[in-house]
Amino acid sequence: MITHIVNKAFFKSPTGTSRLDAEYAELSLYKVEALLLTKGNAKPLINYCSSYSGPAISKDYSKAESLFRYIPIDAVDNQDGLIFPDELIFSERPSRAKYEVAEGDIIVSNVRPNRNTVALIGDRESKSIASSGYTLLKLNRAAPFTPEFLFVYLKTSYAIKQLLRRNRGSMYPAVVAEDIFTTVIPSFSSQFVSKITKKVKKGLIEKADFFQNLDKAEQKLNKFLKTYGAPPSPLESNKTGLDCTIVTRDSFYKTDGAMRFDAEFFRSEYVEFNSRVIENGSHFLLGEYYDLSPGSGLGKAKGEVVFFKQGCLSNYGINWASVGKEPGQLLENGSDVQEGDILLACTAHEIFYVGRKVDLVRGLPDELKDNKAVCDLLVIRAKVDKPASLPNSYVASFLRSDAGRHQVQRCIRGLRGGHVYARDLARFVRIPIPDKKLLVEYESLISVAELNKNKYTATIKGCIKDIEKHLDSL
């Protein structure tokens, strides 16, 4: 049992925060803040930052059918602050969509501050809408440090301990904006701020290179796929007037038929696309080279199990920070997710979102190798006889493209949103194969992008350690 006797006046802070919970007075956490105040000449962030002053995110903000980028809590990698926004239809925006973010803004998660979900908004994320689960900080021009410096400071143990001290609640720990604005930051020399800022900016260049190489790879893919075009999504049509396709009874229930009779599945555009792929070069059906199976869920709780959910998909690689642990058990059939697997979001509440996120599992960390996956993820695993020259990265990217995603969405079973099943995708998603030269170039770009991402992560972690080392000297 830990005891700490304090004077009643302790609970009335100079910044006006009044509270009586014992955790707020926990000595190990309080000492950190007291040290920064006494020896570091620290001041609360409210002295340097202002809160959100942008437009209200109401129905008048944008057209109902327009797309926007949304930053939920699980869209930020808590290792390095890398952001992977979701793309949503504005009329279906979550009630928590609150802030329009701008370059230089910093967002700090109010939920589970121990996870340290903090991000610096760059030009790529600017104009995205962030969840109200974040507190947004806008640095004042007169502040003695830069947004880049404040970002990495808020990821140090010195900032995390302050937020842990301010936790409100036990079952679902969280802080509020007031708690974040009363977090203190010590005084640093301009030379030290400049040194750290320079390093972070170097990291931001590495981050930009990561996305640029992925964009180049996508451009190569799109150029190749231009020959084939793409079938329309189930929500659209390339035809004018009445869209009519005549099929025979055998197409429905013949031994090798589709075993379904929904009209959308049999639209002629899909048949025409399939014919173009067959006629224009090498190709394969997804099930020829890959085994497909949904996640198997957690089962009866017998401990904690690493659990993959749709939130870990970003379309830029697995967001490892979103892979957590939940009560469950590993069964004899082993882990659901393995190195080299392709994960596809196979269930959604609307057709638009089915199959919209696809990622390749690269560099599966050792601590995540014993795992389970939610049944809303489809695990696509290469067979032994898959050609070595056909990289999984290409297949994942093809499934993200219009040509791939619309084939996936064609297979939806359900009225509004629905589910796609492994057996349907295996039989009906046809993938063209580029020549070996393009595949090598494509995989090279993806590999370089991964290297850039790792460099960025290392740079940000190095900056965090530099600030902690500097403060340790106090």
Side-chain angles (χ1 to χ4, degrees):
M1 181 177 178
I2 300 174
T3 61
H4 179 211
I5 299 172
V6 296
N7 190 295
K8 183 172 67 174
F10 172 86
F11 292 97
K12 187 71 175 177
S13 75
T15 53
T17 301
S18 300
R19 49 196 300 171
L20 294 172
D21 49 310
E23 291 80 5
Y24 185 69
E26 186 180 330
L27 193 58
S28 63
L29 298 177
Y30 172 68
K31 276 184 174 180
V32 172
E33 195 164 331
L35 178 71
L36 297 179
L37 288 166
T38 56
K39 292 192 174 183
N41 192 28
K43 294 180 181 178
L45 288 180
I46 191 69
N47 288 28
Y48 307 115
C49 300
S50 55
S51 56
Y52 183 67
S53 58
I57 311 301
S58 64
K59 62 183 178 67
D60 298 322
Y61 175 83
S62 184
K63 294 180 180 178
E65 68 277 9
S66 64
L67 298 179
F68 76 100
R69 292 169 300 170
Y70 177 58
I71 307 176
I73 297 298
D74 60 4
V76 173
D77 188 325
N78 55 29
Q79 282 193 100
D80 52 25
L82 205 60
I83 304 172
F84 303 106
D86 292 335
E87 190 173 51
L88 305 178
I89 299 171
F90 187 73
S91 62
E92 297 170 10
R93 67 192 181 281
S95 60
R96 302 195 70 162
K98 182 177 180 180
Y99 308 117
E100 181 191 86
V101 295
E103 186 174 1
D105 289 348
I106 295 169
I107 51 176
V108 184
S109 174
N110 301 328
V111 180
R112 292 190 175 93
N114 59 302
R115 289 178 60 82
N116 191 230
T117 303
V118 179
L120 173 66
I121 304 298
D123 59 346
R124 192 180 183 94
E125 301 84 27
S126 183
K127 298 292 184 181
S128 298
I129 299 176
S131 166
S132 61
Y134 292 104
T135 290
L136 187 143
L137 304 175
K138 286 183 174 290
L139 196 62
N140 302 333
R141 290 185 179 180
F145 42 81
T146 62
E148 293 84 2
F149 186 89
L150 179 58
F151 160 60
V152 287
Y153 169 76
L154 289 171
K155 295 195 68 62
T156 65
S157 60
Y158 286 87
I160 294 170
K161 286 178 179 178
Q162 291 185 65
L163 292 180
L164 289 177
R165 180 179 170 233
R166 288 161 169 75
N167 255 340
R168 298 169 186 260
S170 53
M171 292 293 289
Y172 194 70
V175 293
V176 297
E178 176 188 354
D179 299 323
I180 293 171
F181 276 100
T182 59
T183 299
V184 301
I185 181 170
S187 175
F188 296 93
S189 69
S190 59
Q191 293 86 350
F192 184 72
V193 170
S194 178
K195 172 187 168 184
I196 296 298
T197 299
K198 186 176 180 180
K199 285 186 177 181
V200 176
K201 286 184 175 179
K202 171 180 171 287
L204 295 178
I205 292 173
E206 293 160 348
K207 168 189 164 184
D209 289 342
F210 163 63
F211 285 113
Q212 284 171 8
N213 278 291
L214 291 181
D215 290 343
K216 286 179 183 177
E218 185 178 353
Q219 288 164 11
K220 277 190 174 293
L221 174 66
N222 290 338
K223 185 177 180 181
F224 165 71
L225 292 177
K226 196 171 182 180
T227 304
Y228 303 90
S233 94
L235 300 170
E236 301 167 349
S237 175
N238 293 335
K239 297 180 178 180
T240 57
L242 182 65
D243 188 347
C244 175
T245 302
I246 299 174
V247 295
T248 65
R249 183 174 56 186
D250 286 348
S251 300
F252 300 116
Y253 291 121
K254 194 177 177 181
T255 304
D256 60 347
M259 303 305 289
R260 58 195 294 167
F261 58 87
D262 47 316
E264 293 82 2
F265 179 84
F266 292 95
R267 285 170 53 183
S268 60
E269 294 100 323
Y270 296 115
V271 178
E272 291 162 3
F273 174 79
N274 189 62
S275 298
R276 284 199 301 274
V277 174
I278 292 172
E279 292 166 3
N280 284 334
S282 299
H283 55 86
F284 66 98
L285 287 170
L286 188 56
E288 291 182 47
Y289 293 147
Y290 290 86
D291 290 317
L292 293 80
S293 59
S296 57
L298 288 165
K300 189 175 181 180
K302 287 189 177 180
E304 285 196 324
V305 179
V306 173
F307 198 41
F308 282 75
K309 297 182 180 180
Q310 284 196 19
C312 73
L313 303 184
S314 73
N315 284 339
Y316 294 102
I318 301 295
N319 180 3
W320 301 113
S322 293
V323 181
K325 289 187 175 183
E326 295 195 14
Q329 63 174 312
L330 288 172
L331 303 176
E332 292 181 0
N333 59 356
S335 299
D336 288 342
V337 179
Q338 299 177 13
E339 176 80 24
D341 287 349
I342 297 167
L343 303 183
L344 179 145
C346 62
T347 303
H349 66 288
E350 293 285 352
I351 290 172
F352 177 82
Y353 300 110
V354 175
R356 201 162 190 85
K357 282 192 173 183
V358 186
D359 275 309
L360 174 64
V361 179
R362 283 181 182 266
L364 182 64
D366 289 339
E367 64 272 18
L368 302 182
K369 286 184 177 177
D370 294 328
N371 62 66
K372 304 302 288 180
V374 68
C375 299
D376 293 347
L377 284 177
L378 198 64
V379 180
I380 303 173
R381 183 169 298 157
K383 294 181 177 180
V384 176
D385 59 349
K386 178 189 76 70
S389 59
L390 179 66
N392 293 341
S393 58
Y394 164 72
V395 176
S397 294
F398 175 81
L399 292 172
R400 281 195 297 267
S401 72
D402 287 349
R405 186 175 66 256
H406 293 169
Q407 288 188 79
V408 169
Q409 291 175 339
R410 173 200 185 190
C411 295
I412 288 172
R413 293 178 184 259
L415 294 176
R416 188 178 177 194
H419 202 101
V420 289
Y421 291 94
R423 63 180 181 271
D424 290 333
L425 300 196
R427 291 184 61 195
F428 299 111
V429 174
R430 191 174 294 278
I431 303 176
I433 303 177
D435 61 54
K436 289 185 179 180
K437 180 174 180 292
L438 190 151
L439 287 174
V440 169
E441 291 174 352
Y442 182 86
E443 178 63 13
S444 175
L445 285 168
I446 298 294
S447 299
V448 171
E450 191 73 17
L451 182 63
N452 294 142
K453 180 181 181 295
N454 293 339
K455 284 181 178 179
Y456 165 75
T457 302
T459 298
I460 298 303
K461 286 183 174 180
C463 291
I464 294 167
K465 285 183 178 179
D466 286 346
I467 295 179
E468 290 181 337
K469 185 177 179 181
H470 180 83
L471 293 176
D472 286 346
S473 65
L474 295 178

